[in-house]
Amino acid sequence: PVDSKNGTIASGFAKTQQGAQSAAANYAVALAGVGMYAPASRQQIVKAVYAPPVAAARKSALDKIYADPNFLGRIGLKPDGSAPKGMTFVSRAIPVGTELESMKDDTAKVAVWYSALFGLAGVESKNPVSESWYTNTFELKWTGGDWKVTDFTQKDGPAPVGRDQAAASAEDMSKAVEKFGGFTYAR
């Protein structure tokens, strides 16, 4: 149903309710991934996800955030956005569900509820991998034969009650991230 290849951002979604929801879920994954922390991949993500009229402005705004050495330092990354030696950087969104809030002509509004993993896996990590829950609401426009983001908002939750599970060791978390990879196509 989509045109993307393995390891890339999905594209070519159908101009249907299901297509809009699939686009939003996939865009949530791309916008929350580690690729946003590297200039070259961030540029590809912005180009793939945003509608052309808003992509340039979003790229500039995102570059200011993700290239800020103070921000990167606060989350434990090096100035180039990479993890320190011996650490594995984790930033993933795992969509749980979507809701089509509205759809009319060439526009759609879709909420994506997801769990996020974020932090540095490593013995000396001061920002260990933790889980959070968010809902992103995407405004989409049908342009160039695909759904593209024109705007989005994010809010916390809803978050479920946590279970009594032992946290993984830094080594186990690093191995899991490398072993399991991440989804490049959701829904």
Side-chain angles (χ1 to χ4, degrees), residues 138-158:
F138 292 92
E139 293 181 27
L140 304 171
K141 181 166 181 59
W142 185 258
T143 181
D146 208 352
W147 290 109
K148 298 294 179 181
V149 176
T150 57
D151 199 9
F152 82 93
T153 58
Q154 181 182 71
K155 67 179 184 177
D156 290 348

Side-chain angles (χ1 to χ4, degrees), residues 84-104:
K85 186 175 180 173
M87 303 273 185
T88 302
F89 178 50
V90 180
S91 183
R92 290 189 184 172
I94 306 99
V96 176
T98 60
E99 176 190 19
L100 181 71
E101 293 186 353
S102 65
M103 186 170 187
K104 183 178 179 187

